Amino acid sequence: MLVLARYPIREAHYHRYAVNGKPHKIHHIDWWFAKGVGLVRVDLAGRGRADVFVTHLVSCYVPWGRGFPEDEYAAQRAAQAWECARWIAHMRRSPLALLLCDMNADAHSLEYDIICHGAGLRPLPGALGAPTFEGSEGSAQVDHVLWHATAWKPVGARRAWDRPGERVSDHFAVVGIFARVPEVSLGGT
């Protein structure tokens, strides 16, 4: 995983998942990449900090929508989602927290629910509704921007690099746009 930031990264942390695929399935390379969840704390140039979490759950090697037993990694993805959610809930400190992830699961999946509910995260409004992955297994929206904020609100979401010749991955980029919420006085006059 790689995080590029416009603003200074002040801290970086990484937690490797306890389960990571199967080492004897060399062509299912997940085990070799030590998947986990990363965190960078970014200084937003006088507007506070953001906790930016990134993860990539174990891949799905069957057509989208197939469950167990065809999807032999469904239980591992669920375990990784739970581990991810607990780590985010434990590490989150800033008024804006984002999870940028290739979940290898759509918004109607167990993995998605585990992360959203376990970490207290929400999807961006209007959550794209378009596939972010198109491959031999089919197409699905498996890349997500989830958020939790006290002083920020989401104002938009879109796919990026989705024209022919622009893509740098087998996934489309997902862009979330946030705005700072003005301070509200709760005191008297």
Side-chain angles (χ1 to χ4, degrees), residues 94-96 147-152 181:
S94 300
L96 175 61
W147 67 282
H148 173 82
T150 55
W152 296 82
V181 176

Side-chain angles (χ1 to χ4, degrees), residues 91-110:
M91 296 295 289
R92 189 174 69 210
R93 304 275 185 279
S94 300
L96 175 61
L98 303 171
L99 171 60
L100 315 174
C101 59
D102 176 352
M103 203 176 293
N104 281 308
D106 66 23
H108 306 289
S109 67
L110 175 63

Side-chain angles (χ1 to χ4, degrees), residues 115-180:
I115 288 178
C116 287
H117 296 295
L121 301 174
R122 296 180 277 187
L124 288 173
L128 301 179
T132 58
F133 173 81
E134 295 171 353
S136 60
E137 300 90 4
S139 63
Q141 182 187 340
V142 298
D143 302 285
H144 306 277
V145 176
L146 304 174
W147 67 282
H148 173 82
T150 55
W152 296 82
K153 68 177 183 177
V155 294
R158 65 180 174 82
R159 279 190 346 183
W161 299 332
D162 58 354
R163 292 188 298 247
E166 274 191 337
R167 291 174 64 183
V168 296
S169 168
D170 58 345
H171 294 252
F172 295 105
V174 178
V175 177
I177 304 163
F178 290 80
R180 186 138 169 95

Side-chain angles (χ1 to χ4, degrees), residues 3-5 7-12 39-43:
V3 176
L4 301 174
Y7 298 104
I9 294 173
R10 298 297 182 198
E11 294 178 45
L39 162 64
V40 293
R41 288 206 168 98
V42 179
D43 184 350

